[in-house]
Amino acid sequence: MVLLYVIFIVYILAINVFAIMLVKAQRDESADENGLSKSGDGKLLLTALLGGAIAIYVSMFVMRYRLKNLLLMILLPVIAVLNVYFCIVAFRSGMSFFVVA
């Protein structure tokens, strides 16, 4: 059972580090092309749904990137609340939904 907790925590940490690197990469890419952004919001939203919403939201403010994008400013906090809720449910249930008997 402890192994499931460790795997879950490592997954959450890895997805959050990836989310920060993704925001930084998109910011650097958009700065090089004189404001023409080829990258959409799909990668950011997918990473947020996988558990990196808080990291994306915080890193957007730290890096001052895409703060005027209304879609991200509304959806990311909602997804972050859902991520936290599912983490709490996972830990309270003892990760029993991962174990197949």
Side-chain angles (χ1 to χ4, degrees):
M1 188 58 76
V2 175
L3 182 63
L4 284 176
Y5 286 118
V6 171
I7 291 172
F8 187 71
I9 291 170
V10 167
Y11 167 76
I12 293 296
L13 289 174
I15 200 74
N16 282 301
V17 168
F18 175 75
I20 293 170
M21 291 179 3
L22 181 64
V23 171
K24 185 179 181 323
Q26 284 191 358
R27 184 199 62 177
D28 293 343
E29 179 182 304
S30 70
D32 292 342
E33 297 177 2
N34 301 327
L36 298 175
S37 179
K38 290 192 294 187
S39 60
D41 299 336
K43 290 179 187 176
L44 291 175
L45 290 177
L46 179 62
T47 307
L49 286 172
L50 291 175
I54 295 173
I56 292 173
Y57 197 66
V58 170
S59 63
M60 283 173 57
F61 278 104
V62 169
M63 296 179 199
R64 293 187 179 113
Y65 176 66
R66 287 199 177 184
L67 296 177
K68 294 182 182 178
N69 191 336
L70 190 60
L71 176 71
L72 292 177
M73 289 293 116
I74 293 174
L75 272 181
L76 285 177
V78 172
I79 295 172
V81 168
L82 290 173
N83 285 340
V84 170
Y85 174 73
F86 287 132
C87 286
I88 290 171
V89 168
F91 279 106
R92 281 194 179 168
S93 70
M95 303 282 183
S96 62
F97 53 87
F98 286 127
V99 179
V100 178

